Amino acid sequence: MLHMWACFVVINSFANPAQAVVLRDDRQVDVTITQVPQRVVSLLPSLTETVCALGQCQKLVGVDRYSNWPESIAKLPRMGGGIDPNIESVVAAKPDLVLMATSARGAERFTALGLTVLALEPRSHADVQRVMRIVAQALAVPVQESDRAWRHIDAAVNAAAQSIPVQAKGQRVYFEVNRAPYGASESSFIGETLQRLGAGNILPASLGPFPQINPEFVVRAQPDIIMVGDSNFADMATRPGWQNMRAMRTQRVCHFKSEESDVLVRAGPRMAEAARLMAKCLTEKAQANKAEAVDKTKGAP
């Protein structure tokens, strides 16, 4: 009841044009929202998830083809990809607000057609918190609610870190995000999570967040653990030198199902779930390594 009353107050404050909200998006454009949006199109999975995490799923009238969480959005119209939205479909949905990535095409076209566009692209832990706040303000969700949601995420990441045994800390990880191959470096949000979990990263921040790398770089770096999606894992052993890498030989590779990969590569409200998946990988592989060492000791003359 208190939540409903708070929303009522905020919504009514928007009804007065003098209470219009001006938000600066990631294009450094000031976007004016004069009334509480009731019809929202989201063209980036992490933004779709953010809208729903703020309890505003019911306002979505269309999403990009990759948005697949939560299940309640399954039947929503698909309006192209995150980078190449279907402009006609978006316009036909008559949204009050379009949420999209800064790297996507079409923002200027939407604006020219009279639509309100917020371009946001979270790329770090701090960005996730900031974007949640901006989306909350755009949708008239009290900021204290978005802050509460962020504190819950942050605390869950800390809990995942605390769940990792001491012997699992300090392992050097290669995290592959795409097949070219592209990896997640220390400066990516994935790298930030690994750091908080006490893991090392073979890809330095100087390479950029998600660099395309020479497969030989990974062979030379000899990571202790490899994290990769199922679709990329299939042909890893065929890469020159990879079958002889220590992590490959000793099966210290965590390959994630497609739905788990979605969680891991999105900078959004499911970041805590991503941390738990990584923590589980680090723990299991460290325990397997310890068991292997014990077996070798028992077998020694």
Side-chain angles (χ1 to χ4, degrees), residues 10-219:
V10 175
I11 288 170
N12 274 272
S13 71
F14 264 74
N16 181 349
Q19 299 297 317
V21 173
V22 180
L23 302 169
R24 176 158 291 193
D25 70 7
D26 288 354
R27 301 169 296 173
Q28 300 306 304
V29 171
D30 289 332
V31 179
T32 301
I33 300 177
T34 56
Q35 294 184 330
V36 178
Q38 300 301 320
R39 298 177 61 81
V40 179
V41 167
S42 173
L43 299 172
L44 186 67
S46 61
L47 295 177
T48 302
E49 295 178 12
T50 297
V51 170
C52 292
L54 292 170
Q56 302 295 302
C57 245
Q58 74 281 2
K59 291 185 176 181
L60 291 169
V61 295
V63 294
D64 66 284
R65 70 170 68 98
Y66 303 109
S67 288
N68 54 7
W69 186 89
E71 290 184 9
S72 60
I73 69 165
K75 295 182 179 180
L76 286 176
R78 304 289 146 167
M79 300 183 172
I83 301 298
D84 56 341
N86 186 312
I87 291 176
E88 292 76 12
S89 296
V90 174
V91 173
K94 298 180 180 179
D96 304 314
L97 178 66
V98 178
L99 298 172
M100 61 192 301
T102 54
S103 55
R105 294 187 290 271
E108 292 182 359
R109 179 69 175 148
F110 289 142
T111 301
L113 291 169
L115 300 183
T116 300
V117 175
L118 263 180
L120 300 164
E121 198 158 347
R123 297 178 179 178
S124 67
H125 287 205
D127 280 349
V128 172
Q129 180 182 18
R130 177 181 58 82
V131 167
M132 285 189 77
R133 264 189 159 233
I134 293 174
V135 173
Q137 289 174 287
L139 299 178
V141 174
V143 170
Q144 58 265 34
E145 288 194 22
S146 74
D147 288 349
R148 189 180 303 118
W150 168 254
R151 286 195 299 272
H152 178 77
I153 293 167
D154 195 47
V157 173
N158 286 335
Q162 291 166 6
S163 74
I164 300 173
V166 175
Q167 66 268 25
K169 301 281 187 177
Q171 298 178 95
R172 296 169 62 254
V173 175
Y174 167 61
F175 191 110
E176 184 164 301
V177 295
N178 218 330
R179 181 170 285 175
Y182 289 89
S185 84
E186 294 172 324
S187 64
S188 67
F189 67 91
I190 294 170
E192 286 184 76
T193 301
L194 285 171
Q195 183 179 29
R196 289 181 66 174
L197 296 178
N201 192 325
I202 68 165
L203 301 181
S206 58
L207 295 177
F210 298 106
Q212 182 175 4
I213 53 175
N214 187 322
E216 292 181 6
F217 180 97
V218 182
V219 176

Side-chain angles (χ1 to χ4, degrees), residues 233-253:
F233 174 71
D235 66 353
M236 269 190 163
T238 65
R239 299 174 186 174
W242 280 52
Q243 67 273 22
N244 294 319
M245 256 196 319
R246 184 173 58 251
M248 297 287 284
R249 288 199 322 270
T250 58
Q251 298 183 338
R252 285 200 283 273
V253 180

